[in-house]
Coordinates of all heavy atoms in Angstrom, one line a residue:
M1 N 0.9 -1.2 0.0 CA 0.0 0.0 0.0 C 0.9 1.3 0.0 O 1.9 1.2 0.5 CB -0.9 0.0 1.2 CG -2.3 0.5 1.2 SD -3.4 0.2 -0.2 CE -3.9 -1.4 0.2
N2 N 0.3 2.2 -0.5 CA 1.2 3.5 -0.7 C 1.3 4.1 0.8 O 0.4 4.3 1.5 CB 0.5 4.5 -1.6 CG 1.4 5.7 -2.0 OD1 1.8 6.4 -1.1 ND2 1.5 5.9 -3.2
P3 N 2.5 4.5 1.1 CA 2.8 5.1 2.5 C 2.3 6.5 2.6 O 2.3 7.0 3.8 CB 4.3 5.0 2.6 CG 4.7 5.1 1.1 CD 3.7 4.4 0.3
K4 N 1.9 7.1 1.6 CA 1.4 8.5 1.8 C 0.1 8.5 2.6 O -0.5 7.5 2.6 CB 1.2 9.1 0.3 CG 2.4 9.3 -0.4 CD 2.1 9.9 -1.8 CE 3.3 9.9 -2.7 NZ 3.0 10.3 -4.0
S5 N -0.2 9.7 3.1 CA -1.5 9.9 3.9 C -2.6 9.9 2.8 O -2.5 10.2 1.6 CB -1.4 11.0 4.7 OG -1.4 12.2 4.0
G6 N -3.9 9.7 3.4 CA -5.0 9.8 2.4 C -5.4 8.4 1.9 O -4.7 7.4 2.2
I7 N -6.4 8.3 1.2 CA -6.8 7.0 0.5 C -6.3 7.0 -0.9 O -6.6 7.9 -1.7 CB -8.3 6.9 0.6 CG1 -8.9 7.0 2.0 CG2 -8.8 5.6 -0.1 CD1 -10.4 7.0 2.0
Y8 N -5.7 5.8 -1.1 CA -5.1 5.6 -2.6 C -5.6 4.3 -3.0 O -5.8 3.4 -2.3 CB -3.6 5.6 -2.5 CG -2.9 6.9 -2.4 CD1 -2.9 7.6 -1.2 CD2 -2.4 7.6 -3.6 CE1 -2.3 8.9 -1.2 CE2 -1.9 8.8 -3.4 CZ -1.8 9.5 -2.3 OH -1.3 10.7 -2.2
I9 N -5.8 4.3 -4.4 CA -6.0 3.0 -5.0 C -4.8 2.7 -5.8 O -4.3 3.5 -6.6 CB -7.3 3.1 -5.9 CG1 -8.5 3.5 -5.1 CG2 -7.6 1.7 -6.6 CD1 -9.8 3.7 -6.1
N10 N -4.3 1.5 -5.7 CA -3.3 1.0 -6.4 C -3.8 0.1 -7.6 O -4.4 -0.9 -7.4 CB -2.4 0.2 -5.5 CG -1.2 -0.5 -6.3 OD1 -0.8 0.0 -7.4 ND2 -0.7 -1.5 -5.7
F11 N -3.7 0.7 -8.8 CA -4.2 -0.1 -10.0 C -3.1 -0.9 -10.6 O -2.0 -0.5 -11.0 CB -4.6 0.9 -11.1 CG -5.9 1.7 -10.6 CD1 -5.9 2.9 -10.0 CD2 -7.1 1.2 -10.8 CE1 -7.0 3.7 -9.6 CE2 -8.3 1.8 -10.5 CZ -8.2 3.1 -9.9
L12 N -3.4 -2.3 -10.5 CA -2.5 -3.3 -11.0 C -2.9 -3.7 -12.5 O -4.0 -3.6 -12.8 CB -2.5 -4.5 -10.1 CG -2.2 -4.2 -8.6 CD1 -2.4 -5.4 -7.8 CD2 -0.7 -3.7 -8.5
P13 N -2.0 -4.0 -13.3 CA -0.7 -4.5 -13.1 C 0.4 -3.3 -13.1 O 1.6 -3.6 -12.8 CB -0.3 -5.5 -14.2 CG -1.2 -4.9 -15.3 CD -2.5 -4.3 -14.7
D14 N -0.1 -2.1 -13.4 CA 1.0 -1.1 -13.6 C 1.4 -0.4 -12.2 O 2.3 0.5 -12.3 CB 0.4 0.0 -14.5 CG 0.1 -0.6 -15.9 OD1 0.9 -1.5 -16.3 OD2 -0.7 -0.1 -16.6
H15 N 0.7 -0.7 -11.2 CA 1.1 -0.1 -9.8 C 1.0 1.3 -9.9 O 1.8 2.2 -9.4 CB 2.4 -0.5 -9.4 CG 2.5 -2.0 -9.1 ND1 2.2 -2.5 -7.8 CD2 3.1 -3.1 -9.7 CE1 2.3 -3.8 -7.8 NE2 2.9 -4.2 -9.0
T16 N -0.2 1.8 -10.5 CA -0.5 3.3 -10.6 C -1.2 3.7 -9.3 O -2.3 3.2 -9.2 CB -1.2 3.6 -11.9 OG1 -0.4 3.2 -13.0 CG2 -1.4 5.1 -12.0
H17 N -0.7 4.5 -8.4 CA -1.3 4.9 -7.2 C -2.1 6.1 -7.5 O -1.5 7.2 -8.0 CB -0.4 5.1 -6.1 CG 0.3 3.9 -5.6 ND1 1.3 3.2 -6.2 CD2 -0.1 3.1 -4.5 CE1 1.5 2.1 -5.6 NE2 0.7 2.0 -4.5
V18 N -3.4 6.2 -7.3 CA -4.3 7.4 -7.5 C -5.0 7.7 -6.2 O -5.6 6.8 -5.5 CB -5.2 7.1 -8.6 CG1 -6.1 8.4 -8.8 CG2 -4.5 6.7 -9.9
S19 N -5.0 8.9 -5.8 CA -5.6 9.4 -4.6 C -7.2 9.5 -4.8 O -7.6 9.8 -5.9 CB -5.1 10.6 -4.0 OG -5.5 11.7 -5.0
V20 N -7.9 9.2 -3.8 CA -9.3 9.3 -3.8 C -9.6 10.7 -3.2 O -9.5 10.9 -2.0 CB -10.0 8.2 -3.0 CG1 -11.5 8.4 -3.0 CG2 -9.7 6.8 -3.5
S21 N -10.1 11.6 -4.1 CA -10.1 13.0 -3.6 C -11.5 13.3 -3.0 O -11.7 14.4 -2.3 CB -9.8 13.9 -4.8 OG -10.7 13.8 -5.8
Q22 N -12.6 12.6 -3.4 CA -13.9 12.9 -2.9 C -14.6 11.7 -2.2 O -14.3 10.6 -2.7 CB -14.8 13.3 -4.1 CG -14.3 14.6 -4.7 CD -15.0 14.8 -6.1 OE1 -16.0 14.3 -6.3 NE2 -14.5 15.7 -6.9
K23 N -15.4 12.0 -1.3 CA -16.2 10.9 -0.6 C -17.1 10.3 -1.7 O -17.6 11.1 -2.5 CB -16.9 11.4 0.6 CG -17.5 10.5 1.6 CD -18.1 11.2 2.7 CE -18.6 10.3 3.7 NZ -20.0 10.0 3.4
D24 N -17.4 9.1 -1.5 CA -18.4 8.4 -2.5 C -18.0 8.3 -3.9 O -18.8 8.3 -4.8 CB -19.7 8.9 -2.3 CG -20.3 8.8 -0.9 OD1 -20.0 7.8 -0.2 OD2 -21.1 9.7 -0.5
Q25 N -16.7 8.5 -4.1 CA -16.2 8.3 -5.6 C -15.9 6.9 -5.8 O -15.3 6.2 -5.0 CB -14.9 9.2 -5.6 CG -14.6 9.6 -7.0 CD -13.4 10.5 -7.0 OE1 -12.6 10.5 -6.2 NE2 -13.3 11.3 -8.1
S26 N -16.4 6.5 -7.0 CA -16.3 5.1 -7.2 C -14.8 4.8 -7.7 O -14.1 5.6 -8.1 CB -17.3 4.6 -8.2 OG -16.9 5.1 -9.6
V27 N -14.5 3.5 -7.7 CA -13.2 3.1 -8.2 C -13.2 3.5 -9.7 O -12.0 3.8 -10.2 CB -13.0 1.5 -8.0 CG1 -11.7 1.1 -8.8 CG2 -12.9 1.2 -6.6
L28 N -14.2 3.2 -10.4 CA -14.2 3.6 -11.9 C -14.0 5.2 -12.0 O -13.2 5.6 -12.8 CB -15.5 3.2 -12.5 CG -15.8 3.7 -14.0 CD1 -14.7 2.9 -14.8 CD2 -17.2 3.4 -14.4
D29 N -14.7 5.9 -11.2 CA -14.5 7.4 -11.3 C -13.0 7.8 -11.1 O -12.4 8.7 -11.8 CB -15.3 8.2 -10.3 CG -16.8 8.0 -10.6 OD1 -17.2 7.9 -11.9 OD2 -17.6 8.2 -9.7
V30 N -12.4 7.3 -10.0 CA -11.0 7.6 -9.7 C -10.1 7.2 -10.9 O -9.2 8.0 -11.2 CB -10.6 6.8 -8.4 CG1 -9.2 7.0 -8.1 CG2 -11.4 7.2 -7.2
A31 N -10.3 6.0 -11.4 CA -9.5 5.5 -12.5 C -9.7 6.5 -13.7 O -8.6 6.9 -14.3 CB -9.8 4.2 -13.0
L32 N -10.9 6.8 -14.1 CA -11.1 7.7 -15.2 C -10.5 9.0 -15.1 O -10.0 9.7 -16.0 CB -12.6 7.7 -15.7 CG -13.2 6.3 -16.1 CD1 -14.7 6.6 -16.3 CD2 -12.6 5.8 -17.3
R33 N -10.6 9.5 -13.8 CA -10.2 10.9 -13.6 C -8.6 10.9 -13.8 O -8.0 11.9 -14.2 CB -10.5 11.2 -12.2 CG -10.0 12.7 -11.7 CD -10.5 13.0 -10.3 NE -10.2 12.0 -9.3 CZ -9.1 12.0 -8.6 NH1 -8.1 12.8 -8.9 NH2 -8.9 11.1 -7.7
A34 N -8.0 9.8 -13.6 CA -6.6 9.7 -13.6 C -6.1 9.3 -15.0 O -4.9 9.1 -15.2 CB -6.0 8.8 -12.6
G35 N -7.0 9.0 -15.9 CA -6.7 8.6 -17.2 C -6.4 7.1 -17.4 O -5.7 6.7 -18.4
I36 N -6.9 6.4 -16.5 CA -6.6 4.9 -16.4 C -7.8 4.3 -17.1 O -8.9 4.5 -16.8 CB -6.5 4.3 -15.0 CG1 -5.2 4.9 -14.3 CG2 -6.4 2.8 -15.1 CD1 -5.0 4.6 -13.0
E37 N -7.5 3.5 -18.1 CA -8.6 2.8 -18.9 C -9.3 1.7 -18.2 O -8.5 0.7 -17.9 CB -8.0 2.4 -20.3 CG -7.7 3.4 -21.2 CD -8.8 4.2 -21.8 OE1 -9.9 3.5 -22.1 OE2 -8.7 5.3 -22.0
I38 N -10.4 1.7 -17.9 CA -11.2 0.6 -17.4 C -12.4 0.5 -18.3 O -13.1 1.5 -18.5 CB -11.7 0.7 -16.0 CG1 -10.5 0.7 -15.0 CG2 -12.6 -0.4 -15.6 CD1 -10.8 0.7 -13.5
D39 N -12.7 -0.6 -18.9 CA -13.9 -0.8 -19.7 C -15.2 -0.4 -18.8 O -15.3 -0.7 -17.6 CB -14.1 -2.2 -20.2 CG -13.1 -2.5 -21.2 OD1 -12.6 -1.6 -21.9 OD2 -12.9 -3.8 -21.5
H40 N -16.1 0.3 -19.4 CA -17.3 0.7 -18.7 C -18.5 0.9 -19.7 O -18.9 2.1 -19.9 CB -17.1 2.0 -17.9 CG -16.5 3.1 -18.5 ND1 -15.2 3.2 -19.1 CD2 -17.0 4.3 -18.8 CE1 -15.1 4.4 -19.6 NE2 -16.2 5.1 -19.6
T41 N -18.7 -0.2 -20.4 CA -19.7 0.0 -21.6 C -21.0 0.7 -21.2 O -21.6 1.4 -21.9 CB -20.0 -1.4 -22.1 OG1 -18.7 -2.0 -22.5 CG2 -20.9 -1.4 -23.3
C42 N -21.5 0.4 -20.0 CA -22.9 0.9 -19.6 C -22.7 2.3 -19.0 O -23.8 2.9 -18.5 CB -23.6 0.0 -18.6 SG -22.9 0.0 -17.0
G43 N -21.5 2.9 -19.0 CA -21.3 4.2 -18.4 C -21.3 4.3 -16.9 O -21.6 5.3 -16.3
G44 N -21.3 3.2 -16.2 CA -21.2 3.2 -14.8 C -22.6 3.0 -14.1 O -22.7 3.2 -12.9
H45 N -23.5 2.4 -14.8 CA -24.8 2.1 -14.3 C -25.1 0.8 -13.7 O -26.1 0.4 -13.3 CB -25.9 2.4 -15.3 CG -25.9 3.9 -15.8 ND1 -26.4 4.8 -15.0 CD2 -25.5 4.4 -17.0 CE1 -26.2 6.0 -15.7 NE2 -25.8 5.8 -16.8
G46 N -24.0 -0.1 -13.7 CA -24.1 -1.3 -13.1 C -24.8 -2.4 -13.9 O -25.4 -3.3 -13.3
T47 N -24.8 -2.3 -15.2 CA -25.7 -3.2 -16.0 C -24.8 -4.0 -17.0 O -25.4 -5.0 -17.5 CB -26.7 -2.4 -16.8 OG1 -26.2 -1.4 -17.6 CG2 -27.7 -1.7 -15.8
C48 N -23.6 -3.7 -17.2 CA -22.9 -4.4 -18.2 C -21.7 -5.4 -17.7 O -21.4 -6.4 -18.3 CB -22.1 -3.4 -19.1 SG -20.7 -2.5 -18.4
G49 N -21.2 -5.2 -16.6 CA -20.1 -5.9 -15.9 C -18.7 -5.7 -16.6 O -17.8 -6.5 -16.1
T50 N -18.6 -4.9 -17.4 CA -17.3 -4.7 -18.1 C -16.2 -4.1 -17.2 O -15.1 -4.2 -17.5 CB -17.4 -4.0 -19.4 OG1 -17.9 -2.7 -19.2 CG2 -18.1 -4.7 -20.4
C51 N -16.6 -3.5 -16.2 CA -15.7 -2.9 -15.2 C -15.2 -3.7 -14.1 O -14.7 -3.2 -13.1 CB -16.4 -1.5 -14.7 SG -17.7 -1.9 -13.6
L52 N -15.6 -5.0 -14.3 CA -15.2 -5.9 -13.1 C -13.6 -5.9 -12.8 O -12.8 -5.9 -13.8 CB -15.6 -7.3 -13.5 CG -15.5 -8.3 -12.4 CD1 -16.6 -8.1 -11.3 CD2 -15.7 -9.8 -13.0
V53 N -13.4 -5.8 -11.5 CA -12.0 -5.7 -11.2 C -11.8 -6.8 -10.0 O -12.8 -7.1 -9.3 CB -11.4 -4.4 -10.6 CG1 -11.4 -3.3 -11.7 CG2 -12.2 -3.8 -9.4
R54 N -10.6 -7.2 -9.8 CA -10.3 -8.0 -8.6 C -9.6 -7.3 -7.5 O -8.6 -6.7 -7.8 CB -9.5 -9.3 -9.1 CG -9.4 -10.4 -8.0 CD -8.8 -11.7 -8.6 NE -7.5 -11.5 -9.0 CZ -6.4 -11.6 -8.4 NH1 -6.4 -11.9 -7.0 NH2 -5.2 -11.4 -8.8
V55 N -10.2 -7.4 -6.3 CA -9.6 -6.6 -5.2 C -8.5 -7.5 -4.7 O -8.8 -8.5 -4.0 CB -10.6 -6.2 -4.1 CG1 -10.0 -5.5 -3.0 CG2 -11.7 -5.3 -4.9
V56 N -7.3 -7.1 -4.7 CA -6.2 -7.8 -4.3 C -5.8 -7.5 -2.9 O -5.3 -8.3 -2.1 CB -4.9 -7.5 -5.2 CG1 -3.7 -8.2 -4.7 CG2 -5.3 -8.0 -6.6
E57 N -6.0 -6.2 -2.4 CA -5.8 -5.8 -1.1 C -6.8 -4.8 -0.6 O -7.3 -3.9 -1.4 CB -4.4 -5.0 -1.1 CG -3.8 -4.9 0.2 CD -2.4 -4.4 0.1 OE1 -1.8 -4.2 -1.0 OE2 -1.7 -4.0 1.1
G58 N -7.3 -4.9 0.6 CA -8.3 -4.0 1.1 C -9.7 -4.5 1.0 O -10.6 -3.7 1.4
L59 N -10.0 -5.7 0.6 CA -11.3 -6.3 0.4 C -12.1 -6.1 1.7 O -13.3 -5.7 1.8 CB -11.3 -7.6 -0.1 CG -12.6 -8.3 -0.4 CD1 -13.4 -7.6 -1.6 CD2 -12.5 -9.8 -0.7
E60 N -11.4 -6.4 2.8 CA -12.1 -6.5 4.1 C -12.6 -5.1 4.6 O -13.5 -5.0 5.5 CB -11.3 -7.1 5.1 CG -10.0 -6.3 5.5 CD -8.8 -6.2 4.6 OE1 -9.0 -7.0 3.5 OE2 -7.9 -5.5 4.8
K61 N -12.1 -4.1 3.9 CA -12.5 -2.7 4.4 C -13.6 -2.1 3.5 O -14.0 -1.0 3.7 CB -11.3 -1.8 4.4 CG -10.3 -2.2 5.5 CD -9.1 -1.3 5.5 CE -8.1 -1.8 6.5 NZ -6.7 -1.2 6.3
L62 N -13.9 -2.8 2.5 CA -14.9 -2.3 1.6 C -16.4 -2.5 2.2 O -16.7 -3.6 2.8 CB -14.9 -3.0 0.3 CG -13.8 -2.6 -0.7 CD1 -13.9 -3.5 -2.0 CD2 -14.0 -1.1 -1.1
A63 N -17.3 -1.7 1.8 CA -18.7 -1.9 2.2 C -19.2 -3.1 1.4 O -18.7 -3.3 0.3 CB -19.5 -0.7 1.9
P64 N -20.2 -3.7 1.9 CA -20.8 -4.9 1.1 C -21.3 -4.4 -0.2 O -21.6 -3.2 -0.4 CB -21.9 -5.4 2.0 CG -21.7 -4.8 3.3 CD -20.9 -3.6 3.2
R65 N -21.5 -5.3 -1.1 CA -22.1 -5.0 -2.5 C -23.4 -4.3 -2.3 O -24.3 -4.7 -1.4 CB -22.3 -6.2 -3.3 CG -21.0 -6.8 -3.8 CD -21.2 -8.1 -4.6 NE -20.0 -8.4 -5.3 CZ -19.5 -9.6 -5.0 NH1 -20.0 -10.5 -4.2 NH2 -18.3 -9.9 -5.6
N66 N -23.7 -3.2 -3.1 CA -25.0 -2.7 -3.0 C -26.0 -3.6 -3.8 O -25.6 -4.7 -4.4 CB -25.1 -1.3 -3.7 CG -24.6 -1.2 -5.1 OD1 -24.7 -2.2 -5.8 ND2 -24.2 -0.1 -5.6
E67 N -27.3 -3.2 -3.9 CA -28.3 -4.1 -4.5 C -28.0 -4.4 -6.0 O -28.1 -5.5 -6.5 CB -29.6 -3.5 -4.4 CG -30.8 -4.4 -4.7 CD -32.1 -3.8 -4.4 OE1 -32.2 -2.9 -3.5 OE2 -33.1 -4.1 -5.1
I68 N -27.5 -3.3 -6.7 CA -27.2 -3.5 -8.2 C -26.1 -4.5 -8.4 O -26.3 -5.5 -9.1 CB -26.9 -2.1 -8.7 CG1 -28.1 -1.2 -8.8 CG2 -26.3 -2.3 -10.1 CD1 -27.6 0.2 -9.1
E69 N -25.1 -4.3 -7.6 CA -23.9 -5.1 -7.7 C -24.2 -6.6 -7.3 O -23.8 -7.6 -7.8 CB -22.7 -4.7 -7.0 CG -21.5 -5.4 -7.3 CD -20.2 -4.8 -6.5 OE1 -20.4 -4.1 -5.5 OE2 -19.1 -5.2 -6.9
S70 N -25.0 -6.7 -6.2 CA -25.3 -8.0 -5.6 C -26.1 -8.9 -6.6 O -25.8 -10.1 -6.7 CB -26.2 -7.9 -4.4 OG -25.4 -7.3 -3.3
E71 N -27.1 -8.2 -7.3 CA -27.8 -9.0 -8.3 C -26.9 -9.5 -9.5 O -27.0 -10.7 -9.8 CB -28.8 -8.1 -9.0 CG -30.1 -8.1 -8.3 CD -31.2 -7.2 -8.9 OE1 -31.2 -7.1 -10.2 OE2 -32.0 -6.6 -8.2
M72 N -26.1 -8.7 -10.0 CA -25.2 -9.1 -10.9 C -24.2 -10.2 -10.5 O -23.9 -11.2 -11.2 CB -24.4 -8.0 -11.6 CG -23.6 -8.4 -12.9 SD -22.6 -7.1 -13.6 CE -23.9 -6.1 -14.3
A73 N -23.6 -10.0 -9.2 CA -22.7 -11.0 -8.7 C -23.3 -12.4 -8.6 O -22.7 -13.4 -8.9 CB -22.3 -10.5 -7.3
E74 N -24.6 -12.4 -8.2 CA -25.3 -13.7 -8.0 C -25.6 -14.3 -9.5 O -25.3 -15.4 -9.7 CB -26.6 -13.4 -7.3 CG -27.2 -14.7 -6.9 CD -28.6 -14.4 -6.0 OE1 -28.4 -13.6 -5.2 OE2 -29.5 -15.2 -6.2
D75 N -26.0 -13.4 -10.4 CA -26.4 -13.9 -11.7 C -25.2 -14.5 -12.4 O -25.3 -15.4 -13.1 CB -27.0 -12.8 -12.6 CG -28.4 -12.4 -12.2 OD1 -29.0 -13.1 -11.4 OD2 -28.9 -11.4 -12.7
R76 N -24.1 -13.8 -12.2 CA -22.8 -14.2 -13.0 C -21.9 -14.9 -12.3 O -20.7 -15.3 -12.7 CB -22.2 -12.9 -13.7 CG -23.1 -12.1 -14.6 CD -22.5 -11.0 -15.2 NE -23.5 -10.2 -16.1 CZ -23.0 -9.3 -17.0 NH1 -21.9 -8.9 -17.1 NH2 -24.0 -8.7 -17.6
G77 N -22.1 -15.1 -11.0 CA -21.2 -16.0 -10.2 C -19.8 -15.3 -9.9 O -18.8 -16.0 -10.0
F78 N -19.9 -14.0 -9.5 CA -18.7 -13.4 -9.3 C -18.0 -14.0 -7.9 O -18.7 -14.5 -7.0 CB -18.9 -12.0 -8.8 CG -19.3 -11.0 -9.8 CD1 -19.6 -9.7 -9.6 CD2 -19.3 -11.4 -11.2 CE1 -20.0 -8.8 -10.6 CE2 -19.7 -10.5 -12.2 CZ -20.1 -9.2 -11.9
R79 N -16.7 -14.0 -7.9 CA -16.0 -14.5 -6.8 C -16.1 -13.4 -5.7 O -16.3 -12.2 -6.0 CB -14.5 -14.8 -7.1 CG -14.3 -15.9 -8.0 CD -12.9 -16.2 -8.4 NE -11.9 -15.2 -7.9 CZ -10.7 -15.3 -8.2 NH1 -10.2 -16.2 -9.1 NH2 -9.8 -14.5 -7.7
A80 N -15.8 -13.7 -4.4 CA -15.9 -12.7 -3.3 C -15.0 -11.5 -3.5 O -15.3 -10.4 -3.2 CB -15.5 -13.4 -2.1
D81 N -13.8 -11.7 -4.2 CA -12.9 -10.6 -4.5 C -13.1 -9.8 -5.7 O -12.4 -9.0 -6.1 CB -11.5 -11.1 -4.3 CG -11.0 -12.1 -5.4 OD1 -12.0 -12.6 -6.1 OD2 -9.9 -12.5 -5.4
E82 N -14.2 -10.3 -6.5 CA -14.5 -9.5 -7.7 C -15.6 -8.5 -7.5 O -16.6 -8.8 -6.9 CB -15.0 -10.5 -8.8 CG -13.8 -11.4 -9.2 CD -14.3 -12.4 -10.3 OE1 -15.3 -13.0 -10.1 OE2 -13.5 -12.7 -11.3
R83 N -15.3 -7.3 -7.9 CA -16.2 -6.1 -7.6 C -16.4 -5.3 -8.9 O -15.4 -5.1 -9.8 CB -15.7 -5.2 -6.5 CG -15.5 -5.9 -5.1 CD -16.8 -6.4 -4.5 NE -17.7 -5.3 -4.3 CZ -17.8 -4.7 -3.0 NH1 -17.2 -5.1 -1.9 NH2 -18.6 -3.7 -2.8
L84 N -17.5 -4.7 -9.0 CA -17.7 -3.7 -10.1 C -17.2 -2.4 -9.7 O -17.5 -1.9 -8.7 CB -19.3 -3.6 -10.3 CG -20.0 -4.8 -10.9 CD1 -21.4 -4.4 -11.0 CD2 -19.4 -5.2 -12.2
A85 N -16.2 -1.9 -10.5 CA -15.5 -0.6 -10.2 C -16.5 0.4 -10.2 O -16.4 1.4 -9.3 CB -14.5 -0.4 -11.3
C86 N -17.6 0.4 -10.9 CA -18.5 1.6 -10.9 C -19.4 1.6 -9.7 O -20.1 2.6 -9.4 CB -19.3 1.5 -12.2 SG -20.6 0.1 -12.3
Q87 N -19.5 0.4 -8.9 CA -20.4 0.4 -7.9 C -19.6 0.3 -6.5 O -20.3 0.1 -5.4 CB -21.3 -0.9 -8.0 CG -22.2 -0.9 -9.2 CD -23.1 0.3 -9.3 OE1 -23.8 0.5 -8.3 NE2 -23.1 0.9 -10.3
T88 N -18.4 0.4 -6.5 CA -17.5 0.2 -5.4 C -16.8 1.5 -5.0 O -16.1 2.1 -5.8 CB -16.4 -0.9 -5.6 OG1 -17.1 -2.1 -5.9 CG2 -15.6 -1.2 -4.4
C89 N -17.1 2.0 -3.8 CA -16.4 3.3 -3.4 C -15.6 3.0 -2.2 O -16.0 2.5 -1.1 CB -17.5 4.3 -2.9 SG -18.7 4.7 -4.2
P90 N -14.3 3.2 -2.3 CA -13.4 2.9 -1.3 C -13.4 3.8 -0.1 O -13.6 5.0 -0.3 CB -12.0 3.1 -2.0 CG -12.2 3.9 -3.2 CD -13.6 3.8 -3.6
V91 N -13.3 3.3 1.1 CA -13.2 4.2 2.2 C -11.8 4.1 2.9 O -11.5 4.6 3.9 CB -14.3 3.7 3.3 CG1 -15.6 4.1 2.7 CG2 -14.2 2.3 3.7
A92 N -10.9 3.1 2.3 CA -9.6 2.8 2.8 C -8.8 2.4 1.6 O -9.4 2.2 0.5 CB -9.5 1.8 3.9
G93 N -7.5 2.3 1.8 CA -6.6 1.9 0.6 C -7.1 0.6 0.0 O -7.5 -0.4 0.6
L94 N -6.9 0.5 -1.4 CA -7.2 -0.6 -2.1 C -6.1 -1.0 -3.1 O -5.5 0.0 -3.6 CB -8.5 -0.5 -2.9 CG -9.8 -0.5 -2.3 CD1 -10.9 -0.3 -3.4 CD2 -10.1 -1.8 -1.5
S95 N -5.9 -2.2 -3.4 CA -5.3 -2.7 -4.6 C -6.3 -3.4 -5.5 O -6.8 -4.4 -5.0 CB -4.0 -3.4 -4.4 OG -3.0 -2.7 -3.7
V96 N -6.4 -3.0 -6.7 CA -7.3 -3.7 -7.6 C -6.5 -4.2 -9.0 O -5.7 -3.4 -9.5 CB -8.4 -2.9 -8.0 CG1 -9.3 -2.5 -6.8 CG2 -8.1 -1.6 -8.8
Q97 N -6.8 -5.3 -9.4 CA -6.3 -5.8 -10.6 C -7.3 -5.6 -11.7 O -8.5 -6.1 -11.6 CB -6.0 -7.3 -10.5 CG -5.5 -8.0 -11.6 CD -4.0 -7.7 -11.9 OE1 -3.2 -7.8 -11.0 NE2 -3.6 -7.4 -13.1
M98 N -7.0 -4.9 -12.7 CA -7.8 -4.7 -13.8 C -7.7 -5.7 -14.9 O -6.6 -6.4 -15.0 CB -7.5 -3.2 -14.4 CG -7.7 -2.2 -13.5 SD -7.3 -0.6 -14.3 CE -5.6 -0.7 -14.8
R99 N -8.7 -6.0 -15.6 CA -8.7 -6.9 -16.7 C -8.1 -6.2 -17.9 O -8.2 -5.0 -18.0 CB -10.1 -7.4 -17.1 CG -10.7 -8.2 -16.1 CD -12.0 -8.8 -16.6 NE -13.0 -7.8 -17.0 CZ -14.2 -8.0 -17.4 NH1 -14.6 -9.3 -17.4 NH2 -15.0 -7.1 -17.8
R100 N -7.4 -6.9 -18.7 CA -6.8 -6.3 -19.9 C -8.0 -6.5 -20.9 O -8.5 -7.6 -21.2 CB -5.5 -7.0 -20.4 CG -4.4 -6.6 -19.5 CD -4.0 -5.2 -19.8 NE -2.8 -4.8 -19.0 CZ -2.7 -3.4 -18.7 NH1 -3.4 -2.5 -19.1 NH2 -1.6 -3.2 -18.0
S101 N -8.3 -5.4 -21.7 CA -9.3 -5.6 -22.8 C -8.6 -5.9 -24.1 O -7.4 -5.9 -24.3 CB -10.1 -4.4 -23.0 OG -9.3 -3.3 -22.9
Ligands
FES1 S1 -19.6 0.2 -16.0 FE1 -21.2 -1.2 -16.5 S2 -21.3 -2.5 -14.7 FE2 -19.7 -1.0 -14.3

């Protein structure tokens, strides 16, 4: 995890650390603001699943899935460490593995 203060997301595999500047900012929002490409076909509405990331570090500090994400996780059989970047808002540091498109 990044030793700097504040909340950071470490985007893997490139190890790009990006600070979370606003409360309730999704992982997808943080990535896009930093110019990091994450597929997001539905525009962040939680309907496409293309923004799926694997949480490598910090999963235990995330809030449980919301209703939108829970439905998709059940339908598609997400693993416990797989989260929709558009529906996940970090409250502590995270490391996430992005899929390569
Ligand atoms: S961008 Fe479509 S589910 Fe996240």
